[in-house]
Amino acid sequence: MKEYFSRFAVPNNEPMIVASQIAIVVVSLGIIIGVTYYKKWGYLWKEWLTTVDHKKNWYHVCSVRAAHVVQGWCGRTFDACADLHA
């Protein structure tokens, strides 16, 4: 198992990092499978991804900002845990 995870971008065997990598893959696959199952790719493309509606663009900006906030929080959490175990 060590060799398998050593091929990732963050070669680390910490359980917290491995769990977060697995969670990212599972959630991403779940979203892709859900959108495909309900056949919403056309709707997403026409109504959200290529829109010029300022209200929908605001949702895009907020979702990306929220993702960056979570990313920053996770980075600080991992750093704090590493400091505790060092």
Side-chain angles (χ1 to χ4, degrees):
M1 188 120 172
K2 246 183 192 181
E3 296 86 22
Y4 179 75
F5 286 113
S6 67
R7 291 183 286 177
F8 284 110
V10 181
N12 200 329
N13 293 324
E14 290 291 324
M16 196 171 180
I17 295 175
V18 172
S20 65
Q21 289 175 341
I22 292 171
I24 289 169
V25 169
V26 169
V27 169
S28 298
L29 286 174
I31 291 170
I32 291 170
I33 289 169
V35 170
T36 302
Y37 179 77
Y38 291 109
K39 299 178 183 170
K40 296 294 182 182
W41 287 111
Y43 171 76
L44 285 174
W45 181 258
K46 287 184 233 170
E47 296 294 327
W48 287 93
L49 299 176
T50 58
T51 187
V52 292
D53 183 11
H54 66 281
K55 292 178 186 173
K56 290 181 181 177
N57 286 335
W58 182 81
Y59 291 125
H60 295 159
V61 170
C62 287
S63 63
V64 170
R65 286 183 182 175
H68 285 144
V69 167
V70 170
Q71 180 185 19
W73 176 80
C74 288
R76 286 194 305 271
T77 303
F78 289 143
D79 291 343
C81 288
D83 290 343
L84 289 175
H85 295 292

